[in-house]
Amino acid sequence: MLSQDLKNEIIRYRRTLHRIPELGFEEYKTQAFIKNELSKMGFEIEEVAKTGIIALKRGKENKAIAFRADMDALAVTEKTELEYKSKHIGKMHACGHDGHMSILLGFALFIANIDLNKDVVLIFQPAEEGPGGAKLLVEEGYLKKYQVESIFGLHIYPGITEGKIGLTSGILMAQVGEIDVTIKATSSHGAMPQNGVDGIFVASQLIQLYQSIISRNIDPTEGRLLTIGKVTGGEARNILAKEVILNGTIRAFNSETYQKIKNRLTEINNGVEKLFGIKVETEIRDMYPALVNDHKLYHLMKDILSDDVIVELKPLMIAEDFSFYLTEVPGYFFMLGALNEELGYVHPLHSCYFNFREEILFHGVETYIKICQALNIF
């Protein structure tokens, strides 16, 4: 389906982008490279969301189908020995976004000289890793402006074997929020604990009580999670901690479950304040909604892919800001297999060693082409 020249270009895109990783809303070099490539292909281009790009190829109808790639990298120091490894110390495309952009550029090159029945909109979106460039694009009305009827996206995924594509009908990823809890206790010498309130002891009680939300307040058949991943506090080994900070995450597949966890967490914090006579400050930031794939488009994906390629996935507790688009229009997000144990492509997303065999990018482009053919775009 893809010519060797097109495949070579896809690899060139990937290696160029891998060398220049940039963090969210700082993707200036990335934006410039993508803009230059799309301009050579003849696309109409609009700069959006600070460092993003929307590229349009017009069809016979003004209604559109959209495809999205995320652009940002992570604050990770690359430890691969790739010839084209990151030139930006402390930054790396450790989540496959260089591959996602290369797939979309390859798809753009494929359709550049094809007559279309409908408009095709290519969204190169910044800041997926945070704070969420998709939300900004939705709020600024770009899906409506370009009359997008449906939207598609993918993620390179080392959780399934390369050559396979992971599908779900309905929920694929969780709703997510961030928790910051600051315990304002009373310091005293460790030899005279009666004169203070130990912030670390209070923190230990809170962490245990939080887990009771999951085990005792929520239906056990509901997908849910509350994790405290970081604890900071204390001044010395023999002093009761005056302040302790807890940082964590809430995740759930159901918005009602998510809200119940938030409410119960606040109730527990208020109760512990009264119990110990201290202050517990709570900040919960709602990040991304659950990613829910359209059922009709799930069946479309099953129709265009052979049975031996499809892997049916259970809902994942990871999160993706592609979910914001799906609150506006029907869409589908799928996982592109990258695991190859024989060649050593086994490292997880966000690892400093993450890499994949570049041939999987061709599968991504081919799948986008099949989607267009099934929807009679060309």
Side-chain angles (χ1 to χ4, degrees), residues 243-313:
E243 180 176 284
V244 179
I245 299 172
L246 309 179
N247 305 115
T249 182
I250 303 171
R251 294 169 188 256
F253 296 136
N254 181 290
S255 59
E256 292 180 4
T257 299
Y258 176 85
Q259 189 61 47
K260 188 170 185 177
I261 294 171
K262 285 176 58 176
N263 293 343
R264 187 70 185 121
L265 186 145
T266 300
E267 291 169 356
I268 287 172
N269 289 351
N270 292 340
V272 166
E273 278 189 327
K274 295 175 182 178
L275 179 63
F276 289 99
I278 59 168
K279 184 69 176 174
V280 180
E281 299 174 352
T282 309
E283 181 181 1
I284 302 175
R285 292 180 298 281
D286 299 328
M287 299 298 288
Y288 304 161
L291 194 159
V292 184
N293 279 325
D294 182 80
H295 292 286
K296 290 182 179 179
L297 295 178
Y298 163 75
H299 289 292
L300 179 144
M301 295 296 295
K302 290 199 72 173
D303 288 342
I304 66 172
L305 299 170
S306 59
D307 290 341
D308 62 328
V309 167
I310 295 171
V311 176
E312 295 284 353
L313 294 175

